Amino acid sequence: MNEKELMDAFIRMQKYDVPDISIEVGAHEAAYSKTISLLGIEAYAFEASPYVYNRFRDGLNGVFYINKAVSEYSGILKFEMQTRFDPAMAGNNTIKNRNEDTAYEYIDIEATSLDEYFQDDIDKNANFVLWIDVEGANGDVLLGAKKMLDRVSSIHIEVEEREFWKNQWLREDVTEYLAGYGFKEYLFCNVDP
């Protein structure tokens, strides 16, 4: 199964799960959110990079596109921008330090936890679906969604089996943590980095 087939399968699942709110974390151009919003699902897309956000913020009808990082806590974080890429095009910048010798620019960005941002919706028993692609920061996102995870029907999450970012959660860490909330791995797509 390739990435497009995996995305298509995940979106088809939402026709049966019928979530109230879809959340894309690490949205870049918000391709998933644009597609899921066509099903009439309220779509939120979080993009931490101000460069990427400014490039794609226009033309996202039906999507709440938000220029914030998602982490365990709300506040200001250091965001790592690899200087070898055009910052408005790069999709591999993160709040984690990469395990390679390259040049970085660090910028301060605003962050929120999912539990804090969606507290009112959690209190109203809304049902959520998550799409997470955060370049090694999975643990940070999931730890900030402890309340929300009880209201999530399905999750698409990019994981790695070897460490590319310092202190990142690997596939087994993510799988074990989510199993504590009753989630099981359903589909897996192996893409070489």
Side-chain angles (χ1 to χ4, degrees), residues 4-21:
K4 182 183 180 331
E5 292 169 334
L6 184 62
M7 181 176 171
D8 290 345
F10 188 76
I11 288 172
R12 278 193 309 274
M13 284 174 48
Q14 305 324 308
K15 293 178 183 178
Y16 302 101
D17 287 342
V18 194
D20 301 306
I21 297 172

Side-chain angles (χ1 to χ4, degrees), residues 62-118:
V63 175
F64 297 99
Y65 193 50
I66 302 150
N67 185 208
K68 289 185 180 188
V70 175
S71 189
E72 183 176 0
Y73 305 104
S74 297
I76 302 298
L77 296 177
K78 294 283 185 203
F79 191 67
E80 182 176 282
M81 307 283 297
Q82 294 185 47
T83 58
R84 65 183 172 166
F85 299 110
D86 175 349
M89 297 296 292
N92 59 348
N93 298 311
T94 181
I95 61 174
K96 294 286 190 190
N97 291 321
R98 184 123 171 133
N99 286 342
E100 66 182 6
D101 187 24
T102 191
Y104 299 101
E105 169 192 1
Y106 293 91
I107 60 173
D108 289 337
I109 57 168
E110 187 178 348
T112 186
S113 72
L114 292 177
D115 281 347
E116 183 176 316
Y117 195 90
F118 292 97

